[in-house]
C-alpha cells in the first residue's frame, strides 16, 4: 500500500512539473510576442510557487512594461529579480550584480549592484556547463573568460571554442556570436568555418542561422531552401 501511495505521489508530482513547464513556455512565448500583460498573468502564479525562471521573466515583463502603463512597475521588477536570485537563477543574479534594473538605471538606486552576484552567476553557469548544458557554455564564452579576455586574439579564439561547444550541446543560438567573432578575425579558413557552423546550427533549426545561410549559400536553390525553413 505504501508503495502504491508513493507511486501515485510521484506521478502527480511529475504531471504537475510538466504542467508548470507548459505554462512557463506559454508565458515565455507571450513575452517574445511582446504581449507583456498576458505574460504577467500567466507567469505570476508560477512565480508565486517559487518557479525561478518564471520569477526572472516576470521581472523582465515588468521592466519592459505593460500596455496600459506609461512605464514599467519598478518595484515589481526588482522584487521578482530578487526572488529569482534567491533561487539561484543566473540571469537574475547577473542583472542584479550589473545593476541592470530600472530603479538603478533611472534613479541611481543601486543597492543590489554587487560583484558577488556576478560570481554566483558564473559559478552556476560553470557547474551547468560541466553537466553538458549548452546555454551555460555560451554564457561562459560571453561572461566568464577571465584573464583570457584581455589578451588579443586569445580571448577571441577561446570564445569561439565555447560557442562551438554550446552549439554541439544543443544551444544553436550561440552561432550568432560565433559568426561575428570569426568574421572579425578574418581569413579564408575562418570564412569556411562560418559556413560550416551556420549549417550545423541551421540543421538544428536555428532561424537566424537559416536566414543567414539564405544570403550566403552558393546556389539560388539552397538560398531559397534555407529562407523557406527560416520562415517556417
Amino acid at each position: 500500500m505504501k508503495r502504491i501511495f508513493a507511486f501515485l505521489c510521484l506521478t502527480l508530482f511529475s504531471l504537475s512539473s510538466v504542467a508548470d513547464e507548459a505554462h512557463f513556455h506559454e508565458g515565455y512565448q507571450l513575452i517574445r510576442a511582446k504581449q507583456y500583460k498576458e505574460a504577467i498573468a500567466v507567469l505570476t502564479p508560477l512565480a508565486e510557487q517559487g518557479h525561478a525562471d518564471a520569477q526572472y521573466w516576470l521581472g523582465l515583463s515588468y521592466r519592459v512594461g505593460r500596455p496600459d502603463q506609461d512605464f514599467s512597475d519598478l518595484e515589481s521588477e526588482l522584487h521578482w529579480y530578487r526572488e529569482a536570485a534567491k533561487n539561484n537563477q543566473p540571469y537574475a543574479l547577473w542583472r542584479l550584480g550589473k545593476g541592470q534594473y530600472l530603479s538603478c538605471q533611472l534613479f541611481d538606486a543601486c543597492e543590489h549592484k554587487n560583484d558577488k552576484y556576478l560570481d554566483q552567476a558564473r559559478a552556476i553557469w560553470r557547474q551547468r556547463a560541466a553537466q553538458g548544458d549548452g546555454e551555460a557554455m555560451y554564457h561562459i564564452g560571453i561572461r566568464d573568460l577571465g584573464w583570457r579576455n584581455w589578451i588579443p586574439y586569445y580571448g577571441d579564439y577561446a570564445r569561439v571554442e565555447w560557442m562551438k561547444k554550446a552549439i554541439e550541446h544543443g544551444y544553436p543560438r550561440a552561432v550568432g556570436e560565433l559568426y561575428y567573432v570569426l568574421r572579425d578575425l578574418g581569413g579564408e579558413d575562418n570564412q569556411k568555418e562560418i559556413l560550416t557552423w551556420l549549417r550545423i546550427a541551421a540543421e538544428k533549426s536555428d532561424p537566424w542561422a537559416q536566414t543567414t545561410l539564405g544570403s550566403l549559400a552558393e546556389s539560388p536553390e539552397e538560398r531559397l531552401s534555407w529562407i523557406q525553413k527560416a520562415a517556417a
Side-chain angles (χ1 to χ4, degrees):
M1 188 68 181
K2 289 182 179 179
R3 290 182 179 179
I4 294 174
F5 179 74
F7 174 77
L8 289 174
C9 288
L10 181 61
T11 301
L12 290 172
F13 177 78
S14 299
L15 290 173
S16 176
S17 298
V18 170
D20 286 350
E21 289 308 309
H23 283 120
F24 170 70
H25 184 71
E26 178 188 355
Y28 179 73
Q29 294 303 322
L30 287 168
I31 292 170
R32 293 188 65 185
K34 299 183 180 181
Q35 297 178 23
Y36 303 112
K37 187 173 183 179
E38 292 83 355
I40 288 170
V42 171
L43 293 175
T44 297
L46 285 178
E48 290 173 344
Q49 294 167 22
H51 191 294
D53 290 333
Q55 290 169 336
Y56 169 74
W57 289 101
L58 179 58
L60 194 67
S61 296
Y62 279 111
R63 173 186 175 84
V64 179
R66 289 180 279 186
D68 59 348
Q69 290 180 287
D70 293 330
F71 55 86
S72 301
D73 185 329
L74 307 184
E75 183 178 347
S76 293
E77 179 201 5
L78 182 56
H79 168 75
W80 288 115
Y81 290 159
R82 292 174 66 186
E83 292 301 305
K86 290 177 185 176
N87 287 317
N88 292 319
Q89 213 288 345
Y91 288 120
L93 288 163
W94 192 267
R95 193 171 284 278
L96 289 176
K98 284 287 189 180
Q100 293 172 346
Y101 50 95
L102 285 174
S103 57
C104 172
Q105 294 171 322
L106 295 180
F107 305 111
D108 200 30
C110 302
E111 66 272 21
H112 300 287
K113 190 175 181 180
N114 194 314
D115 284 347
K116 73 175 184 179
Y117 287 123
L118 304 182
D119 291 338
Q120 283 180 252
R122 291 188 184 102
I124 291 168
W125 281 319
R126 284 196 296 270
Q127 181 183 28
R128 292 181 180 179
Q131 296 169 349
D133 187 313
E135 185 175 353
M137 293 172 185
Y138 166 82
H139 284 291
I140 290 176
I142 295 292
R143 312 177 196 276
D144 195 24
L145 290 180
W147 58 269
R148 298 174 184 82
N149 206 38
W150 303 103
I151 301 177
Y153 296 105
Y154 189 68
D156 290 331
Y157 284 111
R159 182 170 288 108
V160 163
E161 292 308 310
W162 278 112
M163 295 307 111
K164 291 177 182 178
K165 290 178 182 178
I167 296 167
E168 289 172 339
H169 286 82
Y171 195 69
R173 288 178 60 186
V175 75
E177 180 70 14
L178 178 62
Y179 171 87
Y180 288 114
V181 176
L182 287 174
R183 187 193 65 177
D184 291 343
L185 287 170
E188 186 176 344
D189 288 343
N190 286 333
Q191 292 304 313
K192 291 178 181 178
E193 275 213 273
I194 284 174
L195 289 174
T196 296
W197 286 96
L198 279 172
R199 284 195 171 88
I200 291 171
E203 287 166 1
K204 292 179 181 289
S205 301
D206 181 76
W208 188 90
Q210 293 169 338
T211 302
T212 306
L213 270 178
S215 64
L216 296 179
E218 293 183 2
S219 70
E221 293 80 12
E222 186 181 3
R223 291 198 295 270
L224 177 60
S225 174
W226 286 120
I227 289 295
Q228 289 174 331
K229 289 177 180 178

